[in-house]
Amino acid sequence: LYPLTVNTPKCLLNVGGVPMIDIICEKIKGSKHIDGIIIVTNDRFYKQLEDWKAKRKSSLPVRIVNDKTTSNDNRLGAIGDLRLALKAAGIKESFVMLASDNLFDMDLNDFMTFAEKHADAASTGLFDIKAPSLAAGKYGVVEINEAGEITGMEEKPQKPKTSLIGTGVYYFPASVIALVDKYLNSSEAKDAPGHFIRWLNGHVKIFGFILKGMWYDIGDLKSLEEADRIFSSKINGRV
């Protein structure tokens, strides 16, 4: 997304006339299962997120956590930031993690209802890209059984076995909190959540919930422009 992200965090780029993080927060606000929002950012963009928070009215408490990192060389990675958020808020119960560059139009309550049916397991949102070839070398690909339990995972395979891909939507039971430390003390990759999910699959059951409707991974200008066009029409339609 260069050069748009030179001085602006990706989550504050506009989609449908609003920062994309607003769309995510609206999803969270509409969920009866969630009682607070924690956003982790680096030191460079911390003030921008605090300014965003100050201007936004929210029925849920929002906390911005500065991970104090200043470059790619000292960044904590997604799972390092997850641990920081858990510790900063003193979380000891089940929690949801959402990537700030993943947009979807499904009601988050549908995912939460599914996850709480398997409350002792982890759950992740999946998207059916329809053709396995479209996921080749680009997305994490997932296999599930008839019960929805994940039976196989591959990170960006060249020959995907299914058309189901992972998204940035996760539910974790409280038992996973201790496993975050264990994972970070291992030699596994610390950045992409997909690596953590694959590792976690050997420690707890993981179920996959197929997201209905639209889903966008905002990773380049093309996906940003398409999401902006679609969400603009949806927002204008509601107005």
Side-chain angles (χ1 to χ4, degrees):
L1 286 166
Y2 180 89
L4 298 180
T5 50
V6 172
N7 296 310
T8 304
K10 189 192 294 188
C11 67
L12 290 185
L13 296 179
N14 278 2
V15 171
V18 299
M20 71 173 80
I21 199 168
D22 278 10
I23 298 173
I24 297 170
C25 286
E26 284 299 310
K27 293 288 183 186
I28 297 171
K29 188 180 74 172
S31 173
K32 59 187 178 183
H33 307 263
I34 299 174
D35 56 15
I37 300 171
I38 304 168
I39 300 169
V40 185
T41 184
N42 58 28
D43 189 64
R44 182 180 181 191
F45 294 134
Y46 176 68
K47 185 178 185 306
Q48 287 190 52
L49 266 298
E50 282 286 3
D51 290 344
W52 164 83
K53 173 187 169 182
K55 296 174 183 176
R56 187 178 188 278
K57 294 181 179 180
S58 175
S59 58
L60 291 177
V62 178
R63 179 173 180 175
I64 312 296
V65 175
N66 184 352
D67 72 5
K68 304 295 179 68
T69 64
T70 55
S71 70
N72 284 339
D73 294 330
N74 64 6
R75 66 179 179 175
L76 301 181
I79 308 307
D81 277 340
L82 170 61
R83 177 169 64 180
L84 179 65
L86 293 171
K87 292 184 181 301
I91 294 174
K92 301 184 184 303
E93 55 190 359
S94 60
F95 62 96
V96 173
M97 180 170 73
L98 301 176
S100 66
D101 57 359
N102 275 234
L103 298 180
F104 55 94
D105 64 347
M106 189 201 70
D107 191 327
L108 190 61
N109 278 317
D110 294 342
F111 171 74
M112 292 300 303
T113 298
F114 172 86
E116 293 196 345
K117 287 181 180 177
H118 312 284
D120 294 331
S123 292
T124 181
L126 306 177
F127 186 74
D128 190 349
I129 204 169
K130 302 303 181 183
S133 60
L134 296 177
K138 189 174 181 181
Y139 298 110
V141 176
V142 175
E143 298 171 76
I144 59 175
N145 61 23
E146 291 183 0
E149 184 178 353
I150 289 177
T151 58
M153 304 181 74
E154 294 182 284
E155 183 65 19
K156 299 181 180 179
Q158 292 303 314
K159 296 182 178 181
K161 296 176 182 177
T162 78
S163 59
L164 295 178
I165 61 175
T167 72
V169 180
Y170 309 95
Y171 163 91
F172 296 114
S175 60
V176 167
I177 295 173
L179 293 174
V180 171
D181 277 334
K182 185 175 181 180
Y183 176 81
L184 289 172
N185 289 330
S186 73
S187 59
E188 298 286 342
K190 306 302 187 288
D191 193 29
H195 295 297
F196 176 58
I197 297 298
R198 283 204 314 280
W199 177 89
L200 195 62
N201 200 29
H203 297 78
V204 299
K205 286 186 176 182
I206 304 178
F207 287 84
F209 177 82
I210 300 176
L211 302 178
K212 304 297 190 299
M214 298 181 301
W215 169 78
Y216 291 97
D217 176 13
I218 312 298
D220 54 31
L221 291 173
K222 181 179 179 181
S223 58
L224 178 65
E225 290 168 358
E226 184 176 357
D228 180 56
R229 177 176 57 82
I230 295 297
F231 277 88
S232 291
S233 64
K234 287 174 66 67
I235 290 170
N236 290 335
R238 285 201 300 270
V239 172

